[in-house]
Each structure stands twice: as structure tokens, then as C-alpha cells.
Amino acid sequence: MKIVFWSPLHGQTCTTSALISMAMSIALQQNGIKTVVVQSHFSMNQMDYAFLGDSAKKNALIRRGLDALFDASKSGDFSKETVLSCLVDITDNLQLVTAASQVDQGVYAVQMDSMFGGVVDALGKYFELTFVDVNAGYSPTSVKIRNKADILVVCLNQNQAALVDFFDNRYAELEKAINPDRLFYLFGNYSLSSKNTMRNMTKKYRQLKLAHCGAIVHNPNFMDAVSEGAVLRFFKKNVLCDKFDVNYPFVSNLDAAASKLLTLVRKCSAQGGAYGTVR
């Protein structure tokens, strides 16, 4: 199943780190659901370093990841052996498609437009969940990828003005493109002390339902792990932390969000068709 993480807001909702945290929660807590993560960013593609640290530079010297999958697309070889050889293992059930090394943005844009959709579809043949991180906003490429999601994770924040603008001025267009039942709202950099709690926001905006909302609580330790390339170490250390641990609010709310998302995934999966099957 193709799950796209997208935000209408540039640089405000921590979309990439939200995807990383959701992927790690599912990988370590959810009984081995096979997941692959891929990004469409030409620049500011921090996902590789967050997962791999300094070894991301070594991987960049090997033709794998999105570069190798674009090669496979050109040759028409999306066999399981070929696809899996392009990926980097993060855990036993979480794999990463490393970013493309293309330095020409024009060429990259052509590759994205002509081949990225086929690459994501190929990944979906071998993984139960395909997490796709797309650029924020309304560029043609982002909207094209967004609108083909089986489930769209809309990354927002608690900023009142931004929420009003999105739901009053942008939501109608989104609703025409994607069934609202396939939307999941994820609030990044979430403050537990803000009066704009998820419950209060669901009272203000009819589009929000608690069952389709989750929060990535602001946590400096997690953000340090992202910037230092130590995400895997952070989660292995804290995945089972107790309620007295400073990281507990982050971990507990993350696990709740991942559980809600998987409930939606299974509901869509039961409908069959393009959704595929997820345990």
C-alpha cells in the first residue's frame, strides 16, 4: 500500500522526520510489517543521513537506491531480485531507497515525472507498506504523487492561521482529488502544552476525526538523532522506555499515531483493489 506523506506548508511540519519516526515505530513495534521508504526530494533530502549517518556518503558512491531503480525502469527489469538489490536495510523489515545522485535538476524532474510512479508501484509488489516523502506544497510533481496515494498523510502543525488557511482555502481541492476517508492527519513538532490539542482541533474543523489524527510530540533528543544520523540507535534505546523517561511522551504518542494509521491501512486493505493486503 502506497502511503504518501505530504504537507501544504513549507518547512513548518517536519514531514520527513515524521515519516522517519512512523516508519521506525512500525518497524520495531508492529510484528514485522515489511516497509520501504522513499523520497522524491531533489534537495534537502535528509532521510539518508538520518538513517545511515556517515555511511550515507559511502552508499552515495554505489549505484543503488533511486538511481538504480531508475535504471531498472529504463530496462524494464523490476524483478524482486533487482528491486531488493537497490535497497539498504535499516532493520529486518524496514528498507530504504537512498536518494538519487542526479545533480541536474531539470534531468531529475524529467526522471521523476516519467519513472517515479512506476518505481513506487514496483516497490509495492514486494512490500506491504511503501512510505513516500514528497516535497511540501503544490508543485505539479508533488500534487501528482500526492493524488495517487492509497492513503495520504497530511502533515500539519498547531498554528491557527495555517490551519484556517488550509481548511478554508485548500481542503476543497484536496477533497476532490482524494477520498476524505483515506486522509490521515499528522501534527508535527506537537506541543502538549498548547491549547490547540488534537481534541480541540477536531471541534473546530469538521474534517478532523480523532481516529484519523496523530501527533509527533516535540522532542529535542529525537531531532538531535535525526541531525546526527543516529535515528536507529535512538529508537532501539527508547522504544520501550517507561512513563518516567523524558522521551516517553514522544514515544507513546508516536506509537498511538502509528497504531491509528495501521488501523486505517487495514480498513482500506480489506476493501481490496489497488490497496493490496496488509496484515
Side-chain angles (χ1 to χ4, degrees):
M1 182 171 291
K2 187 191 311 177
I3 303 178
V4 175
F5 286 68
W6 167 84
S7 177
L9 307 169
H10 287 277
Q12 299 182 47
T13 62
C14 304
T15 302
T16 298
S17 59
L19 182 154
I20 289 169
S21 60
M22 292 286 274
M24 287 302 308
S25 176
I26 290 171
L28 297 177
Q29 296 262 77
Q30 299 294 338
N31 301 319
I33 295 174
K34 291 183 67 63
T35 304
V36 61
V37 297
V38 59
Q39 60 187 326
S40 67
H41 301 270
F42 175 74
S43 59
M44 297 299 290
N45 42 15
Q46 63 175 331
M47 191 182 295
D48 291 4
Y49 188 79
F51 278 122
L52 303 175
D54 290 337
S55 63
K57 298 176 182 177
K58 298 177 182 177
N59 275 281
L61 301 176
I62 305 170
R63 194 157 185 84
R64 57 167 41 154
L66 205 48
D67 287 328
L69 287 169
F70 283 157
D71 291 344
S73 178
K74 293 173 185 175
S75 66
D77 178 14
F78 277 135
S79 65
K80 184 174 183 179
E81 180 180 5
T82 296
V83 170
L84 295 185
S85 71
C86 299
L87 311 180
V88 178
D89 294 339
I90 304 302
T91 69
D92 290 343
N93 56 313
L94 176 63
Q95 275 71 43
L96 168 70
V97 179
T98 51
S101 61
Q102 178 58 250
V103 295
D104 186 307
Q105 189 165 3
V107 172
Y108 183 73
V110 171
Q111 292 176 325
M112 290 298 299
D113 186 62
S114 61
M115 292 186 283
F116 188 75
V119 165
V120 173
D121 289 343
L123 292 168
K125 295 178 181 178
Y126 310 115
F127 292 89
E128 293 166 278
L129 300 178
T130 303
F131 280 9
V132 185
D133 180 20
V134 300
N135 283 314
Y138 297 88
S139 72
T141 298
S142 290
V143 171
K144 180 179 179 180
I145 298 169
R146 183 200 72 180
N147 290 354
K148 291 184 177 180
D150 292 324
I151 292 174
L152 178 67
V153 178
V154 181
C155 296
L156 300 171
N157 59 23
Q158 292 161 289
N159 182 282
Q160 185 70 20
L163 292 171
V164 169
D165 179 65
F166 174 69
F167 286 114
D168 286 358
N169 302 319
R170 295 289 192 170
Y171 179 80
E173 176 268 333
L174 180 63
E175 188 177 30
K176 291 177 181 178
I178 298 179
N179 185 332
D181 291 339
R182 294 194 282 123
L183 299 176
F184 187 88
Y185 297 92
L186 193 59
F187 293 90
N189 210 24
Y190 187 84
S191 171
L192 293 170
S193 60
S194 170
K195 66 180 181 181
N196 277 336
T197 63
M198 282 194 295
R199 186 172 297 277
N200 286 340
M201 286 187 283
T202 60
K203 296 176 182 177
K204 293 180 182 179
Y205 307 103
R206 61 171 178 80
Q207 300 91 340
L208 296 176
K209 305 292 187 290
L210 275 178
H212 285 206
C213 292
I216 307 297
V217 173
H218 175 71
N219 183 294
N221 294 329
F222 170 65
M223 297 311 297
D224 285 346
V226 170
S227 64
E228 294 167 2
V231 163
L232 183 59
R233 183 167 67 246
F234 171 86
F235 276 98
K236 285 187 173 180
K237 178 181 178 181
N238 294 294
V239 66
L240 297 177
C241 65
D242 62 39
K243 64 181 180 180
F244 302 106
D245 193 290
V246 66
N247 295 307
Y248 182 77
F250 171 82
V251 173
S252 60
N253 279 277
L254 170 62
D255 290 345
S259 179
K260 287 182 180 181
L261 178 60
L262 287 177
T263 296
L264 178 59
V265 165
R266 292 181 178 113
K267 180 179 178 180
C268 292
S269 180
Q271 298 174 6
Y275 296 116
T277 302
V278 177
R279 293 192 301 273

